[in-house]
């Protein structure tokens, strides 16, 4: 669920929309977003409830073969 929520943070969705779509706990996701922002891999565009989330590094859909 965390990976899916990260990928959904493409600058078009709010935190609430991502929570609804992934069915992840809102409190846990809020802490996770704060951590990602602190680490510099995600940004909040705008402010308040209308703020959109944007990830910095896109992740591939599947793992590369070893």
């Amino acid at each position: 669920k965390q990976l899916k929520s990260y990928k959904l943070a493409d600058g078009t969705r709010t935190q609430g929309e991502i929570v609804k779509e992934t069915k992840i706990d809102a409190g846990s996701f809020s802490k996770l977003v704060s951590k990602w922002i602190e680490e510099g891999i995600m940004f909040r565009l705008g402010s308040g409830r209308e703020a959109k989330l944007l990830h910095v590094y896109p992740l591939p859909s599947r793992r590369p073969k070893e």
Side-chain angles (χ1 to χ4, degrees):
K1 287 184 178 181
Q2 290 179 358
L3 179 60
K4 182 178 181 180
S5 65
Y6 179 83
K7 288 182 177 185
L8 289 174
D10 59 2
T12 65
R13 295 173 181 86
T14 64
Q15 189 167 324
E17 291 169 337
I18 294 171
V19 165
K20 283 182 185 176
E21 191 163 336
T22 60
K23 296 180 175 78
I24 196 168
D25 177 71
S28 296
F29 186 61
S30 180
K31 290 177 186 175
L32 188 60
V33 166
S34 294
K35 180 181 174 184
W36 285 338
I37 290 172
E38 185 179 302
E39 295 294 328
I41 62 169
M42 185 173 285
F43 292 96
R44 197 174 265 122
L45 306 173
S47 61
R49 292 193 174 267
E50 297 304 314
K52 309 286 186 190
L53 296 174
L54 176 64
H55 60 253
V56 177
Y57 302 104
L59 299 176
S61 296
R62 49 194 163 122
R63 293 183 179 178
K65 294 181 180 179
E66 293 182 18

